[in-house]
Amino acid sequence: LCGYLQKLSGKGPLRGFRSRWFVFDPRRCYLYYFKGPQEPLPLGHLDIASACFSYHQPEAGAAAAGDEAAAFEVHSPNGAVAVLKAATRQDMTYWLQELQQKRWEYCNNLDAAKRDSRTSPTPSDFSKGLVAKDNPGSILSQNASAERARNILAVETSPTDLVGEQAASQPAPVQPSAINFSLKQWSTEIKNSMSSLRKGNNENRKSVFYTTEEWELLDPTPKDLEDSMALEEKRKHLAEGSKGLTSSAFPFDFGRIPHKTRRPLKDMIGSSKNRNSSDSSPTEWYSGNGNRLVSELQLKYQSQQEELEKLKKDLLSQKELVRLLQQTVRSSQYDKYFASRLCEGVPKDKLELLHQKDDQILGLNNQLEKLNLEKDSLQQEVKNLKCKVGELNEQLGMLMETIQAKDEVIMKLSRQLSECEDNTSSQSGAVNSSMATCTNKELQELDRLKDNLQGYKTQNKFLNKEILELSALRRNAEARERECQAKYTSLEAKLCQIESKYLILLQEMKTPVCSEEQSPAREVITQLLEDALKAETSEQPEQAFFKPHLVSEYDIYGFQTVPEDDDEEKLVAKSRALDLRSLSLSENREISTGVKWENYLASTMNREMMRCVELKNLIRSGIPHEHRSKMWKWCVNLHVKKFKDSTIPGYFQTLLQNALEKQNPASKQIELDLLRTLPNNKHYSSQTSEGIQKLRNVLLAFSWRNPDIGYCQGLNRLVAIALLYLEQEDAFWCLVTIVEVFMPPDYYTKTLLGSQVDQRVFKDLMSEKLPRLHAHFEQYKVDYTLITFNWFLVVFVDSVVSDILFKIWDSFLYEGPKVIFRFALALFKYKEEEILKLQDSMSIFKYLRYFTRTILDARKLTSIAFGDLNPFPLRQIRNRRTYHLEKVRLELTELEAIREDFLRERETCVEKRDLISDDEEDS
């Protein structure tokens, strides 16, 4: 829900309506208003959840076009009234209906929401992974009768172009009398202006406020383009027609019509009638003159074509004459040459030749005279034709004069007829005119009353619906208040009981009882411990209402929050879960990163998502629960695109089918490790769990794809975490990304060469980034790589709390293995001071085994990893890996040589031949 509205603001002479861009936020039921659609920061907001709406019905006619015609009011509980104005009454009705509906939905969702949920404040819509099964939709307990009444009283309306997503591409409606600047929000407007002018990474910094109903800028449709092109063509034709009309007042000049372009008399008379009728009908006059202009151009074109044909014929005749003359000249030259050769010195022959030439000249002259005679005859024919044309023009002029005379007679008779009719109707005209005037006034008054009646009916429906909704919301609020009062009374009574029990406990601790008999105080202590270790389950929903601090049995990822075995560990785990809940509640009070994520995802609706600084910062702050499936899949596809492009369709299913049908050496070990993967997660806790079969399929398919690795302990945990948010095939490609793209070769082979190298690189980074802690470990000879080795191998699975684990995975899937080094160092830096206080190796090593579970603040840990540890170049890690890789390979070669020497010596020495290793003894 978004669009342009005008808001009444300002004081004194500056008070007036200013155009603002309004956006509804369903998370908090706020109506934010901005200076424009592209502004990142709002000027303010209206609380719709506790507001009521009203508007005034203007009188039909005069007030309908005024400023108050589409204005409505939003009344807040604190007495403030915001006056908003839509462009039309249709838009105003649409806004009021939608705001009522949003308020109704929000308040009903608020009633049905679970108080003890520590998930995202908005109900999530998961589509992938195992966690999708754990998010049932919220069931709204609405009043059925109130809902039916609301539907009956609803007014059907549709918005215009200034409401909705497409309105962002429209220009803001301008109010000439208003100054579109607010002194109250001047600081916000300056921030918005500076954000658009800030240098560097302008594209990445572009931010638009969006809600869950994302909007986008729309290009013109092909139909709109065709309409605009047709309109442009029409304008061009009009311009050409007007240009032709201004060139000549009368389209035909009868005195200058060529003889070759004579027109029928009927056509000329018709065109003359069109010309005469153009005075009474502008449209007919325009079309008639346009047709005459086209006809005149066609006649001129035909005459020019005929003249061109005539000229062509003359040209051909002249060419023939020239050809004959040239032939005559050539024959005369040949005769002259031949005569001069044969009859040299014979003057008599020369004289005969000259006589022949004279005869030829006489023949040519005769031919020329004939042609001149033909020319004269043709000229005479042309004169005769011109005379005929003149006669026809005179006849045409006489006919036109006759037609004009008849037209004058017809006009005179028509005037006489109209005068007669006027005389006959003059007497009854006065009476009819007075009655018609009265009737028109009565009809106008009746129309005005009908419009007022319709407007008041619509207003009555809206106000009745408003009263109905406010009454229902008031009843819901009263019910919530009664529930809170009952809960408060129950908690107060419970608090008194607990204080009484703790007084007994203190008394018991003060004077301990040495007898073995079970005293009443012991029973109280036992009962207190049982109450403290209770976890909230689905079997006791009625008790959950009266126990505000009960901890859910499983978190949103499916991990068990409180273990079942050790009572002491139960108390610690419950305390940790309560601390996590406290942190999540404190984070929810601040601006959630979910808003930024929805803004970014909405801005990428029409374009492909790409790597950028803004996206990296968002992922480092943590992907929201509802968007993690989409983003993990995108990150995986980003890294394995070259692998997927080179594979055939159905590649994963083919691998799985081969692994199931053929002998697979890794299948036995995979089956043994399935239930040992994540026993504390309900998706992998038993053979019937849904995640077990998916985990088996992915591991078998990967073992068939990569036979060099096959299966290694640790891969099962990586796949199990991926399956929580991804489907089987996507989880398979996620494992390919980690093993074959992120990690160096031999990381998951039998020698674990790459893992050993990373531990030495991590030691170097510890000495550089945390020198005091590294020296402390060296002083007490504590090999902390025994702890961190598993961090790197399974990317912190089962090493940190689940909230932090998934935020680490968010950054890991986007940035790669460098993230593991960052967070491993951040974990030590987080607890650096506590570790430095320990002064013996046993206590240090014992603390290192569990200290990561005590770190709960993910925001602080992320700040250390990506802020305090900078700079953190990837080139440095690669160089150190190359350096330590050679050393580890050399050490492994030496160890292999020592092993071979020992085996050879054992075979040769009789005393050592009986010695066997533990592995050989087990086998």
Side-chain angles (χ1 to χ4, degrees):
L1 180 60
C2 56
Y4 283 108
L5 288 175
Q6 294 186 15
K7 184 177 183 296
L8 183 63
S9 58
K11 294 182 180 180
L14 295 179
R15 184 170 178 80
F17 285 98
R18 294 171 175 82
S19 180
R20 296 286 183 255
W21 175 257
F22 283 78
V23 178
F24 181 77
D25 181 9
R27 289 176 300 275
R28 307 180 69 181
C29 201
Y30 280 0
L31 186 64
Y32 290 93
Y33 54 92
F34 301 76
K35 191 173 181 181
Q38 303 298 328
E39 298 294 332
L41 297 177
L43 301 176
H45 68 273
L46 303 176
D47 187 1
I48 303 300
S50 56
C52 59
F53 315 106
S54 66
Y55 72 93
H56 300 286
Q57 172 63 27
E59 290 294 329
D67 287 344
E68 303 300 326
F72 60 96
E73 299 174 352
V74 181
H75 298 264
S76 301
N78 57 3
V81 179
V83 181
L84 307 178
K85 187 174 71 173
T88 61
R89 291 189 61 80
Q90 182 181 357
D91 285 345
M92 180 195 73
T93 307
Y94 180 80
W95 272 101
L96 288 172
Q97 293 272 45
E98 288 297 314
L99 290 176
Q100 276 188 336
Q101 182 66 24
K102 300 296 183 184
R103 181 187 61 188
W104 179 260
E105 293 174 357
Y106 177 82
C107 292
N108 282 289
N109 288 336
L110 188 65
D111 293 338
K114 296 180 180 180
R115 272 72 171 179
D116 59 342
S117 176
R118 56 191 276 281
T119 60
S120 177
T122 56
S124 306
D125 182 19
F126 307 115
S127 58
K128 304 290 182 183
L130 296 171
V131 295
K133 312 296 181 183
D134 301 330
N135 187 58
S138 58
I139 301 173
L140 303 180
S141 57
Q142 297 181 357
N143 191 333
S145 60
E147 187 66 27
R148 286 195 299 272
R150 288 180 70 256
N151 295 332
I152 294 174
L153 295 174
V155 180
E156 295 185 1
T157 183
S158 58
T160 62
D161 292 339
L162 294 178
V163 181
E165 301 172 357
Q166 72 279 2
S169 59
Q170 302 286 338
V174 180
Q175 192 75 7
S177 60
I179 301 174
N180 198 17
F181 181 77
S182 176
L183 295 175
K184 186 176 181 181
Q185 293 96 5
W186 64 272
S187 61
T188 304
E189 295 189 2
I190 290 175
K191 289 179 181 178
N192 291 334
S193 301
M194 292 302 295
S195 65
S196 62
L197 297 175
R198 192 171 296 148
K199 297 181 178 180
N201 296 328
N202 289 331
E203 295 182 359
N204 297 333
R205 301 188 65 85
K206 187 183 294 183
S207 178
V208 182
F209 187 90
Y210 293 96
T211 63
T212 55
E213 300 176 0
E214 295 87 354
W215 55 272
E216 58 184 350
L217 300 178
L218 300 177
D219 294 331
T221 60
K223 184 178 180 182
D224 297 336
L225 292 176
E226 292 177 2
D227 296 341
S228 62
M229 291 175 65
L231 183 61
E232 190 66 24
E233 290 293 331
K234 188 175 180 181
R235 289 177 180 174
K236 289 181 179 179
H237 288 308
L238 290 174
E240 292 174 359
S242 62
K243 190 182 298 183
L245 290 175
T246 56
S247 62
S248 175
F250 194 80
F252 293 104
D253 189 358
F254 292 107
R256 294 183 288 106
I257 296 179
H259 68 282
K260 295 291 183 179
T261 60
R262 288 195 291 268
R263 296 174 58 200
L265 181 61
K266 186 186 294 185
D267 294 345
M268 293 187 178
I269 294 173
S271 63
S272 176
K273 287 182 179 180
N274 289 335
R275 185 183 74 248
N276 294 332
S277 64
S278 63
D279 297 335
S280 60
S281 177
T283 306
E284 294 176 1
W285 177 84
Y286 173 79
S287 61
N289 280 280
N291 293 332
R292 286 193 296 272
L293 179 62
V294 174
S295 300
E296 183 182 4
L297 292 175
Q298 289 178 351
L299 291 173
K300 288 182 179 181
Y301 175 74
Q302 291 176 0
S303 64
Q304 291 176 358
Q305 287 282 7
E306 291 177 357
E307 291 178 0
L308 180 61
E309 292 293 332
K310 184 178 178 182
L311 291 174
K312 286 181 178 180
K313 290 180 180 179
D314 293 341
L315 179 62
L316 290 174
S317 62
Q318 294 296 330
K319 285 183 177 180
E320 182 67 21
L321 180 60
V322 170
R323 187 184 63 79
L324 291 174
L325 291 174
Q326 288 178 350
Q327 186 177 1
T328 304
V329 170
R330 283 196 300 271
S331 62
S332 62
Q333 288 178 354
Y334 175 78
D335 293 341
K336 179 180 177 181
Y337 174 77
F338 183 77
S340 62
R341 285 287 183 182
L342 295 178
C343 305
E344 287 182 358
V346 184
K348 186 177 179 179
D349 295 337
K350 292 182 179 179
L351 291 174
E352 290 178 358
L353 182 60
L354 289 175
H355 287 304
Q356 292 177 359
K357 298 298 179 182
D358 291 337
D359 294 339
Q360 290 180 358
I361 291 171
L362 289 174
L364 292 174
N365 288 331
N366 293 331
Q367 188 177 2
L368 180 60
E369 288 176 359
K370 290 180 181 179
L371 292 174
N372 287 331
L373 290 174
E374 290 180 1
K375 176 182 177 183
D376 293 338
S377 64
L378 290 174
Q379 288 178 352
Q380 186 63 32
E381 186 180 356
V382 169
K383 288 180 181 180
N384 294 333
L385 291 174
K386 286 184 178 179
C387 292
K388 290 181 181 180
V389 170
E391 293 175 358
L392 291 174
N393 285 333
E394 290 177 359
Q395 293 177 5
L396 181 61
M398 292 173 63
L399 289 173
M400 293 299 298
E401 291 176 358
T402 305
I403 292 171
Q404 289 179 359
K406 291 182 177 181
D407 288 341
E408 291 177 357
V409 172
I410 292 171
M411 293 297 295
K412 184 177 179 180
L413 293 174
S414 299
R415 284 195 297 271
Q416 291 177 0
L417 180 62
S418 62
E419 289 176 359
C420 293
E421 291 177 352
D422 291 340
N423 292 331
T424 56
S425 62
S426 59
Q427 297 178 358
S428 60
V431 178
N432 291 334
S433 62
S434 62
M435 293 178 63
T437 304
C438 296
T439 304
N440 290 335
K441 289 183 179 179
E442 291 177 356
L443 290 174
Q444 290 177 359
E445 182 67 18
L446 181 60
D447 291 339
R448 188 181 67 82
L449 292 176
K450 285 182 178 179
D451 292 341
N452 286 340
L453 179 60
Q454 186 63 33
Y456 284 123
K457 283 183 178 179
T458 304
Q459 186 184 23
N460 186 37
K461 278 187 176 183
F462 171 77
L463 293 178
N464 286 335
K465 184 180 177 183
E466 182 73 7
I467 293 170
L468 176 68
E469 287 191 5
L470 292 175
S471 300
L473 296 177
R474 180 181 58 82
R475 288 194 299 272
N476 293 339
E478 290 177 352
R480 286 198 303 270
E481 184 179 2
R482 288 193 298 270
E483 290 176 359
C484 291
Q485 186 66 30
K487 182 177 180 180
Y488 168 74
T489 305
S490 174
L491 292 176
E492 189 176 10
K494 189 71 174 178
L495 177 62
C496 294
Q497 296 174 8
I498 291 175
E499 288 179 351
S500 174
K501 293 176 182 179
Y502 273 105
L503 289 175
I504 297 174
L505 177 61
L506 291 175
Q507 183 66 26
E508 175 69 17
M509 299 302 294
K510 184 178 179 181
T511 57
V513 179
C514 297
S515 63
E516 296 182 359
E517 296 180 359
Q518 195 76 358
S519 65
R522 291 291 182 186
E523 295 178 0
V524 172
I525 294 173
T526 304
Q527 185 63 36
L528 284 175
L529 288 174
E530 291 178 359
D531 292 342
L533 294 176
K534 281 184 179 178
E536 180 187 351
T537 59
S538 57
E539 287 78 10
Q540 48 180 10
E542 68 281 352
Q543 298 178 4
F545 178 78
F546 299 102
K547 294 182 181 296
H549 301 304
L550 285 178
V551 178
S552 300
E553 186 177 3
Y554 296 98
D555 61 10
I556 56 175
Y557 313 105
F559 288 99
Q560 197 173 25
T561 54
V562 179
E564 298 177 354
D565 303 330
D566 190 2
D567 289 346
E568 183 178 355
E569 183 62 25
K570 281 185 179 181
L571 290 173
V572 175
K574 184 172 181 180
S575 175
R576 186 188 308 126
L578 291 173
D579 290 338
L580 279 172
R581 184 175 180 183
S582 176
L583 284 171
S584 64
L585 291 174
S586 63
E587 289 179 359
N588 288 339
R589 296 192 192 101
E590 303 174 5
I591 298 177
S592 175
T593 57
V595 177
K596 298 179 181 178
W597 268 102
E598 289 177 4
N599 290 346
Y600 178 79
L601 293 176
S603 66
T604 58
M605 288 292 292
N606 294 330
R607 60 183 177 88
E608 186 178 355
M609 216 180 308
M610 299 180 66
R611 284 175 172 268
C612 60
V613 177
E614 181 183 3
L615 179 60
K616 182 169 73 172
N617 292 333
L618 283 175
I619 291 177
R620 284 181 174 183
S621 64
I623 303 174
H625 192 43
E626 59 269 24
H627 302 308
R628 187 165 279 138
S629 295
K630 176 182 177 181
M631 292 306 302
W632 277 21
K633 183 176 179 180
W634 178 82
C635 291
V636 170
N637 291 333
L638 184 70
H639 296 297
V640 296
K641 189 176 185 302
K642 59 180 181 180
F643 293 110
K644 295 181 75 173
D645 292 343
S646 61
T647 58
I648 60 174
Y651 177 69
F652 171 74
Q653 295 297 333
T654 304
L655 291 176
L656 180 59
Q657 193 68 23
N658 292 334
L660 293 174
E661 293 177 355
K662 300 178 182 179
Q663 185 68 23
N664 190 350
S667 58
K668 182 178 180 181
Q669 188 61 41
I670 289 174
E671 289 296 330
L672 291 175
D673 288 346
L674 287 177
L675 292 178
R676 289 185 278 181
T677 302
L678 292 177
N680 59 339
N681 191 292
K682 64 181 180 180
H683 301 295
Y684 306 99
S685 58
S686 65
Q687 284 287 357
T688 58
S689 300
E690 184 181 1
I692 291 296
Q693 182 59 40
K694 293 183 177 181
L695 179 62
R696 179 187 294 111
N697 293 341
V698 175
L699 292 174
L700 288 174
F702 181 80
S703 66
W704 197 263
R705 168 187 168 85
N706 195 332
D708 293 338
I709 295 176
Y711 172 72
C712 171
Q713 289 183 343
L715 299 182
N716 54 338
R717 295 187 176 187
L718 297 176
V719 175
I721 294 298
L723 282 172
L724 291 178
Y725 283 99
L726 300 174
E727 294 298 333
Q728 293 184 71
E729 186 171 357
D730 296 325
F732 166 77
W733 287 112
C734 180
L735 184 61
V736 173
T737 301
I738 297 172
V739 177
E740 301 182 13
V741 179
F742 285 168
M743 299 305 186
D746 297 330
Y747 211 89
Y748 293 97
T749 56
K750 294 181 180 180
T751 60
L752 299 176
L753 179 63
S755 302
Q756 298 182 52
V757 170
D758 272 1
Q759 294 310 303
R760 301 197 180 194
V761 175
F762 181 66
K763 274 190 173 183
D764 294 346
L765 293 175
M766 278 284 290
S767 63
E768 177 184 341
K769 301 290 184 180
L770 303 174
R772 287 198 306 153
L773 193 58
H774 179 74
H776 188 69
F777 287 143
E778 292 294 326
Q779 178 183 355
Y780 292 100
K781 294 180 173 51
V782 175
D783 187 6
Y784 52 86
T785 58
L786 298 176
I787 303 296
T788 60
F789 185 84
N790 196 52
W791 297 359
F792 284 74
L793 197 65
V794 297
V795 195
F796 297 100
V797 178
D798 269 351
S799 297
V800 294
V801 295
S802 55
D803 282 356
I804 294 178
L805 171 66
F806 285 95
K807 289 187 177 181
I808 293 175
W809 270 65
D810 293 339
S811 300
F812 171 67
L813 291 179
Y814 180 75
E815 299 184 46
K818 185 174 71 170
V819 171
I820 305 178
F821 290 95
R822 281 185 177 273
F823 277 97
L825 291 170
L827 288 171
F828 281 112
K829 187 172 179 61
Y830 195 105
K831 292 291 185 177
E832 183 178 13
E833 297 302 327
E834 286 80 353
I835 297 174
L836 291 175
K837 293 177 183 178
L838 303 176
Q839 299 299 323
D840 62 275
S841 58
M842 290 299 296
S843 58
I844 293 174
F845 196 78
K846 183 179 179 180
Y847 183 76
L848 292 180
R849 294 183 63 182
Y850 72 88
F851 85 101
T852 54
R853 284 283 178 179
T854 64
I855 297 176
L856 308 177
D857 193 348
R859 182 176 299 180
K860 180 180 177 182
L861 183 66
T862 303
S863 176
I864 295 173
F866 295 110
D868 297 349
L869 296 177
N870 285 335
F872 210 90
L874 182 60
R875 184 184 305 172
Q876 180 184 9
I877 296 177
R878 289 174 177 169
N879 294 338
R880 292 179 184 271
R881 275 177 170 171
T882 305
Y883 170 74
H884 288 291
L885 181 61
E886 298 299 328
K887 294 181 66 175
V888 173
R889 281 179 176 169
L890 183 61
E891 292 176 3
L892 289 177
T893 305
E894 293 177 355
L895 288 175
E896 185 64 25
I898 294 173
R899 180 175 174 277
E900 291 178 357
D901 291 342
F902 174 76
L903 292 176
R904 202 165 33 246
E905 184 179 353
R906 192 180 67 173
E907 291 295 331
T908 57
C909 183
V910 179
E911 297 178 355
K912 296 181 179 181
R913 187 177 300 172
D914 298 332
L915 298 176
I916 59 174
S917 63
D918 295 336
D919 295 337
E920 293 172 343
E921 185 176 2
D922 294 338
S923 62

